[in-house]
Amino acid sequence: MTDRKNQNGHSSGLSLTYDQYDGDQVMQLLTQDYKKGDKRVVSSGLYFNDRPSKESQIKTGEIFAELDQMKDPEAAQKKYKEYQQQGLIGGAPRMMLGKTKDEHNGLFLFDSKGKPRARFCVDKNNEAKLDFLDDNGNVTASFPEKKK
């Protein structure tokens, strides 16, 4: 849990995670709350994540220690992607049930890369909708259809 006041507002959060054996978060209860001036943003949800099958806590620690030592950010990013392709680090959110930062309450589904693909929610205007999204996050179908 973090909780800080600053000159512009506050920042607070809580994360309770359930890890896979010798790995990282497969289920997470997450709350984030921050205020900047008069604007306050709160999100909270229950997340289910895919994790690499070859992941281990010791190897993950070694990899991140190696990446932290690298001076060139582009080289570090390239090395990170190599480890990710080997299935040693990474993972992706697959489902979230909760409230987003833009005040949508609902069920949010993600593809194997962690990209949003479907959402069934009630928005901040209390309108219920079901949206399907493409690889770029564009709505391809919606119910009910948007009013013209």
Side-chain angles (χ1 to χ4, degrees), residues 2-39:
T2 62
D3 191 16
R4 292 185 202 100
K5 278 192 163 191
N6 56 47
Q7 67 245 16
N8 297 322
H10 70 261
S11 174
S12 179
L14 170 77
S15 177
L16 174 64
T17 65
Y18 297 87
D19 298 345
Q20 69 183 10
Y21 175 76
D22 196 26
D24 211 350
Q25 313 161 353
V26 291
M27 191 168 73
Q28 180 179 26
L29 186 60
L30 179 66
T31 297
Q32 297 173 309
D33 175 354
Y34 61 89
K35 184 174 181 186
K36 209 173 205 179
D38 290 338
K39 184 174 175 152

Side-chain angles (χ1 to χ4, degrees), residues 19-73:
D19 298 345
Q20 69 183 10
Y21 175 76
D22 196 26
D24 211 350
Q25 313 161 353
V26 291
M27 191 168 73
Q28 180 179 26
L29 186 60
L30 179 66
T31 297
Q32 297 173 309
D33 175 354
Y34 61 89
K35 184 174 181 186
K36 209 173 205 179
D38 290 338
K39 184 174 175 152
R40 184 174 187 179
V41 178
V42 179
S43 64
S44 57
L46 175 61
Y47 292 80
F48 294 90
N49 306 304
D50 278 350
R51 303 300 308 178
S53 61
K54 296 180 191 174
E55 180 180 64
S56 80
Q57 293 207 358
I58 291 172
K59 185 65 177 171
T60 299
E62 291 170 356
I63 289 170
F64 280 104
E66 175 189 346
L67 296 173
D68 286 344
Q69 296 296 315
M70 297 178 77
K71 305 260 189 259
D72 179 7

